Amino acid sequence: MLRGAIGGTSVALALPMLDAMLNSNGTALAAGEPLPRRLVTWFFGNGVALVDATNPGAGLRWGPAEQGPGYPLTPQLAGLAGVEEYCSLLTGFDIKAAAMHRRGHHDGVAGFFSGHPFIELPHADNSYSSKSGGPTIDQVAADAIGGQTFLPSVQIAASKRVITSEGPTLQFLSHKSPDVSLPQIFSPLDLYTKLFDSFVPQDDPTKPLRLNALDAVAEDVKRLKLRVGKADQIRLDAHLSSVAQIRKQIEALAPECMQPMQPVNTNEDTDGKEPLDEVNQIMCDLLVEAFRCDITRVASFQYTGSVGYTVFHMLGQTLGHHDLTHDTNYNDSVDAATAHTIEAFGYLLKRLKATPEADGNLLDQSCIILGSDASSGYTHDVFNQPCIIAGRGGGALKHPGIHYESPSQENTSDILLACLQTVVPEATQVGSDIGLSTTPLSAIQA
């Protein structure tokens, strides 16, 4: 940590991994511990477009027919170009945890990311309501390795159009238990503050709103540069510049009615439109910095919500995404929204790949699980949901990635267990009841 003080207030700023922290080969930490591994769950709501809007049974506009490594990218997957070798596309899997209820979106998001059947809640005023039947996979990981970092995990969201009337299952992505859900952070400013910045107490509105952490640690930076080599000095400058650039991005997004010197963006709409692309980019940049500085190793990222009403206005659309997916007349609009979603996912992967760490990059040391709450919103089917496993998981996952179509409708919990073992190698099971898995998916393991 870089340390400093302003006005008697202590300030600390996390450091990226430097050569001085590694062994002589750059393959492990100096004390011999392995490089940190990361786990991310990445969610988008309402599934993907159908091949034939008049025949929902014809399948999805999603994966190619070809299997194995070097599979071609379909138009929906075009956003993975440049990182496709890090991506395993998994099709033909079944959410076994969903067989108990068959409630569409609820089954999909709960079963896919936890392996536990959800728990029904009273819903006299709603069409349905539920809570997670157990911890989601990110929180299983956080319980095991979260004590090794400043933050056990972080919960991030890009779109604010999240349904809040059908219980915690659809409102939140991360759950520690059936009765403890972890709210996601929607504001880039709030996430920046949580990770990198320092504030004076908020009990007095006349006080300055912000202490500049970069200014506060300037003297410590000078001292550190005298102790490290040229390469580390360059990495340190790059890190500080990156943090400063993210802050400038937040300032640039500030509404015009706010003071321009205050980075106050809280993901506010402009003329009723969400700044979805801008917020997604900043959130991804912040998550990459959090991983680079080992502030946390576990994250959940909710791009759009389950039964969410995000409007992809940048594509010329005016209706909420959930409504589009339930009307086959808008199948092409759903197709365009899915392609845009994968571009957003691809941005995170490309940023991770472009960020060096030791003798590789952050994507080498990460496992990112992409999933949705249905194969398509129109069918509400939880079989053959879109699923991508990205990253090398510290060498635990197959590289280059493959397209693997399950020949036997395997349990999606098998996917979760293989991913969990990238950060918790001793893990032996995921989920419970009909969703239980004790057999990690060997097809994606190295």
Side-chain angles (χ1 to χ4, degrees):
M1 302 288 287
L2 294 167
R3 301 184 185 278
I6 293 180
T9 299
S10 297
V11 175
L13 186 69
L15 281 166
M17 190 173 296
L18 304 175
D19 285 345
M21 303 174 186
L22 301 172
N23 65 12
S24 58
N25 297 321
T27 57
L29 298 180
E33 299 96 335
L35 297 174
R37 297 181 179 184
R38 291 87 173 185
L39 181 72
V40 181
T41 55
W42 201 97
F43 174 82
F44 69 99
N46 310 315
V48 302
L50 300 167
V51 168
D52 182 354
T54 64
N55 179 15
L60 308 173
R61 297 186 193 179
W62 180 246
E66 296 86 348
Q67 295 192 57
Y71 60 90
L73 297 178
T74 63
Q76 286 198 344
L77 299 176
L80 300 179
V83 288
E84 63 266 40
E85 76 276 12
Y86 281 90
C87 297
S88 284
L89 177 68
L90 304 178
T91 57
F93 283 77
D94 189 26
I95 301 179
K96 303 300 185 185
M100 183 176 292
H101 298 291
R102 293 297 180 190
R103 293 297 306 187
H105 298 282
H106 293 259
D107 277 317
V109 67
F112 185 88
F113 286 102
S114 75
H116 298 280
F118 69 76
I119 298 171
E120 185 176 358
L121 295 173
H123 49 90
D125 298 326
N126 308 302
S127 59
Y128 204 77
S129 188
S130 72
K131 61 182 179 180
S132 181
T136 46
I137 196 68
D138 61 305
Q139 290 309 299
V140 176
D143 284 346
I145 66 171
Q148 301 174 27
T149 52
F150 174 65
L151 295 175
S153 65
V154 64
Q155 291 70 48
I156 301 170
S159 174
K160 305 185 301 297
R161 305 296 196 265
V162 175
I163 190 169
T164 61
S165 60
E166 295 191 19
T169 297
L170 301 192
Q171 184 173 357
F172 308 106
L173 182 56
S174 292
H175 308 269
K176 291 183 69 67
S177 70
D179 297 312
V180 180
S181 301
L182 301 180
Q184 54 274 69
I185 298 173
F186 294 93
S187 162
L189 173 59
D190 289 346
L191 184 60
Y192 180 94
T193 302
K194 189 177 185 72
L195 297 174
F196 297 110
D197 218 349
S198 301
F199 281 72
V200 295
Q202 298 181 1
D203 56 349
D204 184 353
T206 66
K207 293 179 180 178
L209 291 180
R210 181 176 300 277
L211 300 179
N212 192 328
L214 296 176
D215 291 342
V217 300
E219 291 302 317
D220 207 21
V221 171
K222 293 179 182 178
R223 288 189 291 269
L224 180 60
K225 283 186 173 181
L226 296 175
R227 300 170 52 194
V228 299
K230 186 65 174 179
D232 278 347
Q233 293 177 27
I234 294 173
R235 288 190 182 92
L236 184 58
D237 287 339
H239 169 60
L240 298 177
S241 296
S242 181
V243 173
Q245 177 61 32
I246 292 172
R247 181 169 172 175
K248 288 180 180 178
Q249 288 176 274
I250 297 173
E251 291 173 354
L253 279 173
E256 292 181 356
C257 61
M258 305 302 292
Q259 297 180 19
M261 294 303 294
Q262 300 173 6
V264 293
N265 178 265
T266 54
N267 196 355
E268 297 293 334
D269 291 4
T270 300
D271 297 328
K273 298 176 180 178
E274 290 188 290
L276 184 62
D277 289 342
E278 297 87 346
V279 169
N280 176 74
Q281 179 175 324
I282 295 175
M283 293 300 208
C284 289
D285 291 345
L286 285 169
L287 180 57
V288 168
E289 291 302 317
F291 282 168
R292 183 162 71 158
C293 296
D294 206 24
I295 295 172
T296 189
R297 299 177 185 176
V298 180
S300 65
F301 198 113
Q302 185 183 69
Y303 180 66
T304 57
S306 180
V307 193
Y309 288 87
T310 301
V311 176
F312 287 86
H313 57 84
M314 70 292 295
L315 303 177
Q317 298 178 11
T318 58
L319 294 179
H321 188 254
H322 181 252
D323 287 342
L324 294 177
T325 63
H326 284 63
D327 186 337
T328 56
N329 291 317
Y330 293 111
N331 196 47
D332 286 343
S333 295
V334 175
D335 185 53
T338 303
H340 195 80
T341 295
I342 298 305
E343 288 177 6
F345 178 66
Y347 178 82
L348 174 61
L349 303 188
K350 291 167 187 176
R351 285 284 288 108
L352 290 168
K353 181 184 176 183
T355 305
E357 182 173 67
D359 61 346
N361 59 65
L362 285 181
L363 193 52
D364 288 324
Q365 301 299 323
S366 301
C367 174
I368 302 97
I369 308 168
L370 174 144
S372 189
D373 53 348
S375 59
S376 80
Y378 184 76
T379 65
H380 278 192
D381 200 345
V382 294
F383 169 71
N384 197 25
Q385 281 185 277
C387 177
I388 297 170
I389 305 302
R392 299 186 67 179
L397 298 176
K398 189 165 291 185
H399 184 267
I402 61 171
H403 174 205
Y404 173 76
E405 183 174 359
S406 174
S408 57
Q409 299 186 13
E410 291 165 271
N411 189 358
T412 54
S413 295
D414 295 349
I415 302 171
L416 294 186
L417 183 54
C419 292
L420 178 63
Q421 288 180 347
T422 66
V423 291
V424 189
E426 65 274 16
T428 58
Q429 66 180 55
V430 162
S432 64
D433 202 278
I434 55 177
L436 176 68
S437 171
T438 58
T439 54
L441 180 63
S442 60
I444 61 172
Q445 293 181 310

